[in-house]
């Protein structure tokens, strides 16, 4: 287990603020030991909650050109055929994974290949399960030409708590399955769009691990 690089500055600043607040409490609230201890305990809990947002556990990664791995930790909330308007402009199979505040917030490449398209979209911060969050929230869209051949689109989507999306890929990059392609600070959701004949390997409500759980198999 390690702390992700995206959280180190936030954790350092948070620690300084909480330490300063505790020093002020003990300075101006002398004689109220119980209150001071309760406040100190509450700040420790707050720090630990923020700390767990930025954990980055070790994962046993494997690669296979026609298998898609989960791009994030969380729960499968959507498996359906939908019209994808941004890039494909036709019907695709959508698999969506919801990341709760207690999940790991690293996002990983579901497949190896060449990045054919990338775009960042500023937007709103609707709750992640809102039907319009996929098209109206802050998000990034990545399209990879997989080593197996088919194009795969995956999308980071911010939610009500997630206020910043970070990405590490650009058009023309070669990406490897399971490696980090970004981070969603304080969670939200990742959508994956694959060809209609793709065989889904997960079920609604199933919990998945990014870089480990196989979510579907491409037809090649």
């Amino acid at each position: 287990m390690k702390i992700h690089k995206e959280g180190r500055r936030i954790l350092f600043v948070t620690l300084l603020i909480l330490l300063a607040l505790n020093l002020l409490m003990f300075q101006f609230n002398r004689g109220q030991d119980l209150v001071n201890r309760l406040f100190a305990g509450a700040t420790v809990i707050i720090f630990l909650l923020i700390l767990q947002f930025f954990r980055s556990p070790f994962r046993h990664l494997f690669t296979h050109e026609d298998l898609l791995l989960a791009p994030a930790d969380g729960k499968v909330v959507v498996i359906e055929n939908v019209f994808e308007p941004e890039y494909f402009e036709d019907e695709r199979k959508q698999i969506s994974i919801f990341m709760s505040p207690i999940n790991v917030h690293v996002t990983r490449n579901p497949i190896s290949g060449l990045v054919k398209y990338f775009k960042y979209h500023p937007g709103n911060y609707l709750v992640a399960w809102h039907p319009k969050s996929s098209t109206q929230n802050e998000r990034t869209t990545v399209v990879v030409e997989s080593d197996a051949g088919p194009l795969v689109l995956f999308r980071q989507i911010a939610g009500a708590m997630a206020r910043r999306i970070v990405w590490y890929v650009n058009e023309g990059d070669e990406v490897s399955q399971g490696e980090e392609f970004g981070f969603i600070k304080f969670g939200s959701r990742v959508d994956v769009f694959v060809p209609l004949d793709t065989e889904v390997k997960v079920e609604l409500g199933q919990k998945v691990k990014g870089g480990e759980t196989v979510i579907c198999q491409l037809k090649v």
Side-chain angles (χ1 to χ4, degrees):
M1 179 73 70
K2 65 178 182 178
I3 302 302
H4 197 276
K5 62 183 180 181
E6 297 296 343
R8 291 168 191 164
R9 182 177 179 181
I10 291 174
L11 289 167
F12 179 71
V13 172
T14 301
L15 181 61
L16 291 180
I17 292 172
L18 294 178
L19 285 174
L21 290 174
N22 275 281
L23 288 173
L24 289 172
M25 281 291 292
F26 279 90
Q27 179 69 28
F28 296 104
N29 203 28
R30 293 177 179 176
Q32 299 291 327
D33 290 345
L34 178 59
V35 174
N36 290 340
R37 288 187 186 126
L38 288 173
F39 182 82
T43 59
V44 169
I45 292 172
I46 291 170
F47 183 77
L48 291 176
L49 287 172
I50 297 174
L51 179 67
Q52 65 88 32
F53 285 137
F54 295 103
R55 69 195 190 280
S56 182
F58 174 78
R59 290 290 159 84
H60 297 280
L61 306 177
F62 73 96
T63 59
H64 200 292
E65 66 177 16
D66 66 339
L67 297 178
L68 265 74
L69 301 181
D73 287 23
K75 183 170 71 172
V76 178
V77 294
V78 174
I79 301 174
E80 62 182 6
N81 295 346
V82 299
F83 182 80
E84 198 294 302
E86 180 178 351
Y87 183 83
F88 295 116
E89 297 183 339
D90 64 11
E91 199 170 53
R92 297 278 151 162
K93 191 179 296 291
Q94 176 182 339
I95 304 168
S96 297
I97 298 169
F98 173 72
M99 307 161 66
S100 78
I102 63 172
N103 287 130
V104 174
H105 298 109
V106 176
T107 52
R108 300 179 182 273
N109 297 305
I111 198 82
S112 296
L114 177 68
V115 178
K116 303 292 288 184
Y117 174 85
F118 173 85
K119 188 169 185 180
Y120 166 75
H121 303 267
N124 299 321
Y125 298 98
L126 303 172
V127 290
W129 55 85
H130 194 287
K132 294 184 178 179
S133 65
S134 292
T135 56
Q136 293 189 8
N137 278 18
E138 180 187 9
R139 62 199 182 278
T140 63
T141 300
V142 183
V143 178
V144 170
E145 182 179 21
S146 67
D147 289 345
L151 294 172
V152 175
L153 184 152
F154 41 101
R155 182 175 287 139
Q156 296 170 299
I157 302 170
M161 288 183 63
R163 295 289 168 165
R164 188 182 175 199
I165 292 174
V166 181
W167 61 90
Y168 312 132
V169 298
N170 293 288
E171 284 186 25
D173 288 351
E174 289 278 355
V175 296
S176 296
Q177 190 174 48
E179 291 186 352
E180 295 182 19
F181 80 85
F183 195 96
I184 306 179
K185 294 190 176 180
F186 301 106
S188 190
R189 155 179 165 174
V190 181
D191 292 346
V192 180
F193 296 83
V194 291
L196 294 176
D197 60 358
T198 300
E199 181 182 357
V200 177
K201 300 288 189 180
V202 290
E203 299 177 348
L204 282 175
Q206 181 177 335
K207 293 182 179 179
V208 298
K209 282 190 174 184
E212 288 189 354
T213 306
V214 175
I215 59 171
C216 58
Q217 183 171 17
L218 299 170
K219 298 293 184 183
V220 294

